[in-house]
């Protein structure tokens, strides 16, 4: 595996990734990184990287500052070791950094409702350990200096130290300022030697000061002397500083014990922070190389869309589209050298390793990658001088090792398969090796410049030719991968462009057998067809985009029209509502006038007024929602039926439909006149107007109803119709009791009247009239 990682430049990719870590914790994770062969683990890693990328996309950053790899510090504190002030500050800073990171992720999940299940699970494992952080920072500043406030004893000792230092300096400065001693000094300064204050004295004046000599200059002309007058003070200062050191050691030991007590929690925090730093580094790297999360599978299928090699400058790299493991498991890339075949091979290999390392790949969204159990690669010049192996021998040794291990869950990459030996034998070996790998079910991508392999894919099921495009005009490869088209030799075209005579070129062509010429011509035809298809596809795509734009524009216009329609309907509804309100006010006014007429003695019953008002209220249209607007339109368009109030257009008169004669002709009653009217000559009146018309008609006709109805001499059917109408009129007239005179006769009319009033909803009861009221020839009805 190490050889594969080396030839596919996996370590170089990791060096790029290392540039995005925030701490040595993440650096260690990256240095240990290797591709996984476990599908679930790879899937989990990809999910984590995607969440990190989501955080960066939404926030642009993540707080990972102030985090240190303090694993060694914590483990030493755990076994009772003392930490230095700077080590303790690193521990406190790491605790603070972990707490800030936890707060950041929790806030995104709980307050902003961003889905980050894996990152959230990680940060919930981080213990805040505020007490440890606070204790350290109360005793030590950010520069690793133990503060006076760390303890009352330290404050007292340091006060003494400063007092002694001040006394020593004061005495020494008085010596250096004295005119008697200045000539004895090499320089009028106070300095320190062996942690004691001294003055520089000339050699010849050594005995003038007494005391202790601590040092001398390189020439020996100057001695650094601690005068006898300050020896005692220097001793006191030294003792105070020893006390200070002991107190500091005690404070640091106390803080170290505190760290040791929570060592297990700290180690968990550090592990989580290392993972999170690693995840965010992968997300930052994905952003830099413009990578996307691929769909994963275990079937060996690869579909890369505009894939780019991450180690090539983004401004120079040419994206390629690659498919493998679907309709074909073998991809044979042919063509001349320096055409970009090896780059294509390395792109497929390195992107596979990146995916299986939890990294997103520099390809368009929608790409799909497989998780292989084994990845093999035979790429580059592996000639070994030490082993005295030729290029061919070295390649073949590697290929033998590959064939011993390859299986159906493998990806195999061969660069210049069969090269380094006789072309005929090399091509035959290449074909045999490809067949063997294919029979084992592995996915294989091989590059070659042998013309014999150009027809390989045409004769093998599950194999496909490909080539890297070459621009004959510029004499440079375009690095575009053409799937389905084998590479062709450009020797003649290049020679012609460089000025070789046509005669020499033609003679050279005659040296090539007809089969090779046929293959070259076929390849040229394929290239031409593919370019034409690509051109047509681009044109079709352009037309599709234009059509899509027009569709969106039309949808937008339709939405605007619908909004305008709703606005107009709302305005109409508002106007209609106002009109109805006005009509109701006028009706109320009319009813009030009717009541006034009643008071003045005119024949207008109170229940007639109430009933008319009720009918008017029922006639009020309720205009509310769009649904009711549609319903109203539907009612306006419904078919005319018996009983409908209509307006006969040719006469300009209103009437009532009595009967439908045919689909297009009706009998209409207009006043006392009945006539046949065509459908097109009628306009259906709105229901409100029909009800209002009937209500007013009832009001107008109610004064002519008699308290009795004489049916004698009437035919049975007509009599029953008259009884029904009479009951309605009597109700409107306000009668509580009426008489139906039907005579004795055969008793048929009497029986019919009895049956009708029995089922009538507004009849309270019926009885035969008394002898003085007409006897059996008269039926008395009580109305509700």
């Amino acid at each position: 595996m190490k050889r594969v990682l080396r030839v596919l430049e996996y370590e170089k990719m990791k060096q790029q990734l290392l540039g995005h870590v925030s701490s040595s914790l993440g650096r260690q994770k990256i240095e240990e990184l290797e591709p996984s062969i476990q599908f679930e683990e790879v899937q989990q890693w990809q999910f984590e990287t995607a969440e990190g990328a989501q955080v960066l996309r939404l926030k642009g950053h993540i707080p990972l500052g102030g985090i240190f790899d303090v694993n060694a510090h914590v483990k030493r504190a755990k076994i009772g070791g003392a930490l230095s002030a700077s080590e303790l500050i690193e521990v406190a800073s790491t605790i603070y950094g972990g707490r800030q990171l936890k707060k950041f992720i929790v806030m995104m999940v709980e307050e902003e409702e961003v889905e980050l299940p894996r990152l959230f699970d990680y940060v919930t494992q981080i213990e805040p350990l505020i007490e440890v952080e606070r204790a350290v920072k109360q005793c030590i500043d950010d520069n690793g200096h133990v503060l006076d406030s760390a303890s009352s004893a330290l404050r007292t000792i340091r006060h003494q130290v400063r007092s002694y230092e001040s006394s020593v300096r004061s005495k020494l400065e008085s010596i250096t300022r004295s005119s008697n001693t200045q000539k004895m000094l090499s320089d009028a300064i106070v300095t320190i030697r062996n942690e004691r204050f001294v003055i520089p004295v000339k050699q010849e004046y050594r005995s003038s000061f007494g005391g202790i000599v601590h040092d001398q200059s390189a020439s020996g002309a100057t001695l650094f002397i601690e005068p006898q007058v300050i020896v005692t003070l220097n001793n006191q200062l030294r003792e105070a500083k020893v006390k200070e050191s002991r107190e500091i050691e005690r404070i640091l030991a106390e803080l170290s014990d505190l760290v040791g007590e929570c060592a297990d929690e700290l180690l968990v925090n550090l592990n989580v922070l290392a993972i999170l730093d690693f995840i965010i580094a992968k997300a930052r790297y994905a952003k830099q190389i413009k990578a996307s999360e691929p769909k994963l599978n275990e079937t060996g299928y690869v579909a890369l869309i505009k894939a780019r090699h991450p180690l090539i400058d983004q401004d120079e790299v040419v994206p390629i589209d690659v498919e493998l493991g679907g309709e074909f498991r073998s991809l044979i890339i042919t063509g001349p050298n320096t055409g970009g075949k090896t780059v294509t091979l390395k792109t497929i290999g390195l992107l596979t390793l990146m995916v299986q390392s939890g990294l997103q790949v520099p390809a368009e969204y929608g790409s799909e990658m497989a998780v292989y159990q084994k990845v093999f690669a035979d790429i580059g010049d592996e000639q070994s001088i030490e082993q005295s192996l030729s290029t061919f021998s070295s390649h073949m040794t590697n290929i033998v090792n590959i064939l011993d291990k390859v299986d159906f869950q493998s990806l195999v990459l061969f660069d210049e398969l069969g090269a380094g030996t006789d072309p005929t034998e090399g091509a035959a070996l290449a074909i045999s090796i490809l067949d063997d790998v294919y029979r084992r079910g592995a996915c294989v991508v091989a590059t070659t410049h042998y013309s014999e392999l150009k027809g390989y894919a045409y004769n093998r099921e599950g194999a496909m030719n490909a080539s890297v495009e070459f621009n004959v005009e510029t004499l440079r490869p375009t690095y575009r991968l053409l799937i389905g088209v084998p590479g062709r030799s450009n020797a003649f075209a290049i020679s012609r462009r460089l000025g070789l005579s046509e005669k020499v070129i033609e003679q050279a062509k005659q040296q090539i057998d007809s089969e090779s010429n046929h293959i070259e011509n076929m390849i040229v035809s394929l290239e031409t067809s593919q370019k034409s298809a690509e051109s047509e596809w681009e044109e079709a795509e352009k037309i599709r985009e234009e059509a899509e734009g027009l569709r969106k524009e039309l949808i937008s216009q339709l939405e605007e029209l619908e909004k305008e329609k709703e606005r107009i309907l709302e305005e109409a509804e508002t106007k209609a509502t106002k009109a109805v309100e006005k009509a109701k006010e006028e009706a109320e006014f009319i009813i009030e006038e009717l009541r006034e007429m009643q008071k003045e003695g005119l024949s207008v019953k109170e229940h007639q007024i109430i009933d008319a008002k009720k009918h008017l209220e029922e006639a009020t249209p309720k205009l509310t929602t769009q649904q009711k607007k549609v319903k109203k339109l539907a009612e306006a368009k419904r078919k005319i039926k018996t009983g409908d109030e209509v307006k006969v257009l040719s006469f300009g008169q209103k009437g009532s439909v009595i009967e439908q004669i045919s689909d297009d002709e009706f009998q209409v009653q207009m006043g006392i006149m009945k006539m046949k009217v065509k459908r097109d000559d009628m306009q259906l009146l709105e229901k409100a107007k029909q009800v209002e018309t009937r209500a007013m008609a009832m009001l107008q006709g109610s004064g002519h109803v008699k308290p009795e109805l004489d049916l004698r001499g009437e035919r049975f059917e007509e009599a029953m119709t008259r009884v029904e109408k009479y009951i309605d009129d009597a109700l409107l007239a306000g009668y509580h009791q009426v008489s139906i005179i039907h005579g004795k006769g055969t008793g048929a009319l009497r029986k019919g009247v009895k049956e009708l009033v029995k089922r009538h909803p507004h009849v309270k009861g019926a009885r035969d009239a008394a002898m003085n009221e007409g006897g059996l020839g008269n039926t008395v009805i009580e109305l509700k």
Side-chain angles (χ1 to χ4, degrees):
M1 189 64 177
K2 289 183 178 179
R3 182 179 181 281
V4 173
L5 297 179
R6 176 172 54 80
V7 298
L8 292 176
E9 301 177 294
Y10 184 76
E11 292 301 323
K12 290 183 180 178
M13 180 277 298
K14 282 173 58 173
Q15 287 301 315
Q16 287 187 340
L17 181 58
L18 280 170
H20 298 280
V21 293
S22 298
S23 70
S24 53
L25 291 169
R27 174 175 290 274
Q28 185 177 351
K29 283 284 184 184
I30 292 174
E31 288 172 348
E32 296 169 354
L33 177 64
E34 284 191 356
S36 171
I37 60 173
Q38 303 298 324
F39 182 80
E40 292 76 13
E41 185 175 39
V42 172
Q43 201 169 43
Q44 177 72 12
W45 287 354
Q46 287 289 339
F47 288 153
E48 291 172 356
T49 306
E51 288 185 14
Q54 186 180 7
V55 172
L56 292 180
R57 185 171 61 254
L58 295 175
K59 294 294 185 179
H61 75 288
I62 190 165
L64 281 166
I67 295 173
F68 299 91
D69 183 3
V70 293
N71 275 287
H73 308 344
V74 175
K75 289 175 182 177
R76 193 164 76 254
K78 186 178 181 181
I79 61 174
L83 304 182
S84 67
S86 59
E87 289 173 337
L88 286 165
I89 277 295
E90 286 183 356
V91 171
S93 177
T94 303
I95 292 172
Y96 176 77
R99 194 167 66 252
Q100 290 300 106
L101 179 58
K102 179 177 182 177
K103 180 181 178 182
F104 181 83
I105 297 297
V106 169
M107 186 177 295
M108 285 190 71
V109 173
E110 294 183 350
E111 296 185 14
E112 301 177 25
E113 298 182 351
V114 180
E115 292 188 8
L116 303 169
R118 290 154 193 85
L119 295 185
F120 186 77
D121 285 345
Y122 281 128
V123 298
T124 51
Q125 299 175 43
I126 296 176
E127 292 293 334
L129 303 176
I130 298 173
E131 297 80 6
V132 178
E133 180 201 344
R134 185 181 295 120
V136 172
K137 290 192 173 181
Q138 283 177 349
C139 297
I140 307 170
D141 65 18
D142 292 339
N143 297 317
H145 175 71
V146 179
L147 300 169
D148 292 359
S149 57
S151 73
S152 57
L154 182 62
R155 184 184 295 107
T156 302
I157 292 168
R158 282 186 171 167
H159 178 71
Q160 291 175 351
V161 168
R162 286 190 286 270
S163 176
Y164 289 140
E165 283 181 345
S166 178
S167 298
V168 170
R169 283 183 176 277
S170 177
K171 284 187 176 294
L172 289 176
E173 286 174 358
S174 66
I175 293 173
T176 59
R177 286 197 298 269
S178 171
S179 58
N180 295 327
T181 59
Q182 280 184 352
K183 64 180 180 179
M184 303 178 188
L185 302 178
S186 298
D187 198 355
I189 61 170
V190 176
T191 185
I192 296 174
R193 289 293 186 274
N194 299 325
E195 298 184 1
R196 297 176 78 89
F197 287 96
V198 296
I199 55 176
V201 179
K202 294 176 182 178
Q203 176 70 33
E204 58 268 27
Y205 297 107
R206 159 71 183 84
S207 58
S208 300
F209 292 91
I212 304 168
V213 177
H214 287 279
D215 198 5
Q216 67 178 8
S217 64
S219 64
T222 302
L223 299 177
F224 294 93
I225 297 175
E226 177 185 359
Q228 187 63 44
V229 294
I230 64 161
V231 169
T232 303
L233 282 173
N234 258 338
N235 289 339
Q236 292 173 335
L237 175 60
R238 182 64 180 161
E239 289 174 6
K241 285 192 174 181
V242 169
K243 289 181 182 178
E244 179 189 21
S245 296
R246 288 175 181 170
E247 180 63 15
I248 289 173
E249 286 176 6
R250 186 194 68 78
I251 293 167
L252 295 180
E254 198 173 273
L255 293 173
S256 298
D257 290 341
L258 195 59
V259 171
E261 289 172 6
C262 61
D264 292 335
E265 292 89 340
L266 267 170
L267 291 173
V268 171
N269 285 8
L270 289 169
N271 183 53
V272 172
L273 290 173
I275 293 171
L276 292 172
D277 189 9
F278 175 49
I279 290 171
I280 298 305
K282 291 191 292 183
R284 287 171 177 162
Y285 183 52
K287 184 178 181 181
Q288 180 200 349
I289 63 175
K290 299 178 181 178
S292 65
E293 180 187 5
K295 182 180 177 183
L296 300 178
N297 69 76
E298 296 179 274
T299 61
Y301 178 68
V302 173
L304 288 170
I305 304 170
K306 299 190 182 306
R308 305 174 303 279
H309 196 290
L311 301 181
I312 301 177
D313 193 300
Q314 293 187 31
D315 296 329
E316 298 178 4
V317 66
V318 177
I320 59 171
D321 294 336
V322 181
E323 187 175 356
L324 181 68
E327 295 180 2
F328 51 90
R329 300 181 71 85
S330 297
L331 185 64
I332 315 303
I333 306 174
T334 54
N337 292 330
T338 70
K341 302 192 302 297
T342 304
V343 172
T344 298
L345 206 65
K346 287 187 174 182
T347 300
I348 297 169
L350 182 55
L351 265 55
T352 298
L353 298 179
M354 288 175 65
V355 164
Q356 295 185 209
S357 301
L359 293 163
Q360 296 185 352
V361 294
E364 293 293 322
Y365 180 79
S367 296
E368 187 167 353
M369 295 291 289
V371 176
Y372 295 102
Q373 295 299 303
K374 301 171 185 175
V375 178
F376 302 103
D378 181 62
I379 300 174
D381 186 2
E382 294 295 329
Q383 184 172 350
S384 172
I385 297 174
E386 294 178 2
Q387 298 178 10
S388 300
L389 294 176
S390 67
T391 302
F392 176 76
S393 299
S394 179
H395 278 297
M396 197 51 59
T397 301
N398 189 33
I399 289 170
V400 169
N401 292 331
I402 291 172
L403 295 180
D404 286 341
K405 302 172 185 175
V406 71
D407 59 22
F408 69 97
Q409 293 179 310
S410 302
L411 172 66
V412 185
L413 306 172
F414 289 129
D415 187 30
E416 296 297 348
L417 185 60
T421 187
D422 178 75
T424 305
E425 293 180 355
L429 274 172
I431 291 171
S432 180
I433 291 167
L434 289 173
D435 284 341
D436 186 62
V437 173
Y438 179 77
R439 280 193 296 270
R440 296 173 189 233
C443 290
V444 58
V445 182
T447 69
T448 180
H449 61 273
Y450 287 146
S451 59
E452 287 83 354
L453 286 174
K454 294 177 182 178
Y456 176 82
Y458 295 107
N459 302 319
R460 302 292 194 282
E461 185 180 353
M464 178 63 69
N465 272 317
S467 62
V468 180
E469 187 180 52
F470 189 90
N471 190 329
V472 181
E473 297 298 322
T474 61
L475 303 181
R476 294 173 65 87
T478 65
Y479 301 105
R480 288 180 63 242
L481 186 67
L482 304 176
I483 301 291
V485 180
R488 64 187 177 97
S489 173
N490 297 291
F492 294 149
I494 293 171
S495 299
R496 184 178 289 108
R497 285 283 299 166
L498 294 175
L500 189 63
S501 71
E502 196 66 32
K503 181 179 179 181
V504 175
I505 293 172
E506 287 301 321
Q507 287 178 352
K509 286 183 177 179
Q510 291 174 10
Q511 303 300 318
I512 300 175
D513 57 47
S514 60
E515 184 177 346
S516 297
N517 274 325
H518 177 71
I519 291 173
E520 289 298 320
N521 292 334
M522 178 186 67
I523 293 171
V524 172
S525 176
L526 280 172
E527 285 188 355
T528 304
S529 299
Q530 179 154 344
K531 287 180 180 178
S532 176
E534 288 179 355
S535 176
E536 290 175 1
W537 181 86
E538 289 175 359
E539 183 66 25
E541 185 68 14
K542 184 179 179 182
I543 293 171
R544 186 195 66 77
E545 289 176 358
E546 290 178 357
E548 181 68 17
L550 288 172
R551 187 182 74 85
K552 289 180 180 178
E553 186 178 345
L554 287 172
I555 290 173
S556 176
Q557 291 179 358
L558 184 61
E559 289 175 352
E560 289 296 324
L561 285 172
E562 284 297 324
K563 289 179 182 177
E564 183 66 15
K565 177 182 173 183
E566 289 179 8
R567 186 187 64 78
I568 293 171
L569 287 172
E570 286 175 2
E571 288 182 0
E573 179 179 346
T574 303
K575 290 179 180 177
T577 303
K578 290 180 179 178
V580 169
E581 291 297 328
K582 185 177 180 181
K584 286 176 70 176
E585 289 176 3
E586 292 177 355
E588 290 288 345
F589 179 73
I590 292 170
I591 291 169
E592 189 62 32
E593 284 187 342
L594 289 173
R595 284 200 177 98
E596 291 298 324
M597 290 170 62
Q598 186 184 41
K599 289 178 183 178
E600 291 174 3
L602 297 177
S603 179
V604 180
K605 303 289 185 180
E606 179 63 27
H607 76 87
Q608 290 176 294
I609 298 172
I610 294 170
D611 196 58
K613 182 178 179 181
K614 180 181 177 183
H615 281 292
L616 285 170
E617 287 176 350
E618 289 175 352
T620 303
K622 294 176 176 56
L623 304 172
T624 55
T625 64
Q626 179 70 17
Q627 182 180 3
K628 292 188 177 182
K629 296 171 188 173
V630 174
K631 183 177 178 182
K632 188 167 74 174
L633 291 172
E635 287 179 352
K637 293 179 180 178
R638 68 178 175 83
K639 293 181 179 179
I640 296 173
K641 62 180 185 298
T642 304
D644 283 344
E645 298 292 331
V646 295
K647 180 178 181 181
V648 180
L649 300 176
S650 56
F651 287 88
Q653 297 291 323
K654 296 178 182 179
S656 177
V657 177
I658 299 173
E659 181 184 0
Q660 183 171 355
I661 301 171
S662 66
D663 290 342
D664 196 43
E665 194 173 33
F666 298 82
Q667 189 173 41
V668 180
Q669 174 89 39
M670 292 186 293
I672 60 171
M673 180 173 62
K674 295 179 181 179
M675 63 183 300
K676 294 178 181 179
V677 181
K678 296 286 185 181
R679 180 191 297 272
D680 294 341
D681 195 26
M682 292 186 295
Q683 179 184 350
L684 183 66
L685 295 177
E686 294 180 12
K687 196 168 185 178
K689 291 184 178 179
Q690 295 180 28
V691 175
E692 187 177 354
T693 302
R694 286 198 296 271
M696 294 309 294
M698 291 173 184
L699 278 173
Q700 291 171 358
S702 61
H704 302 289
V705 179
K706 296 179 180 180
E708 60 185 25
L709 174 65
D710 191 348
L711 300 177
R712 288 175 293 185
E714 295 279 351
R715 294 178 62 186
F716 182 85
E717 289 79 12
E718 292 178 356
M720 294 301 103
T721 302
R722 287 192 63 193
V723 169
E724 285 186 344
K725 187 175 183 306
Y726 175 73
I727 292 173
D728 291 337
D729 292 343
L731 283 167
L732 290 172
Y735 294 135
H736 298 288
Q737 179 176 301
V738 292
S739 298
I740 308 296
I741 303 171
H742 42 68
K744 296 179 181 179
T746 60
L749 278 179
R750 177 175 175 271
K751 184 178 178 181
V753 169
K754 294 281 189 184
E755 289 294 327
L756 189 150
V757 300
K758 183 178 179 181
R759 63 175 184 269
H760 199 286
H762 294 292
V763 174
K764 186 176 181 180
R767 62 178 176 81
D768 292 330
M771 292 303 295
N772 62 346
E773 293 176 332
L776 295 176
N778 185 14
T779 296
V780 179
I781 299 171
E782 292 184 21
L783 301 176
K784 292 182 181 179

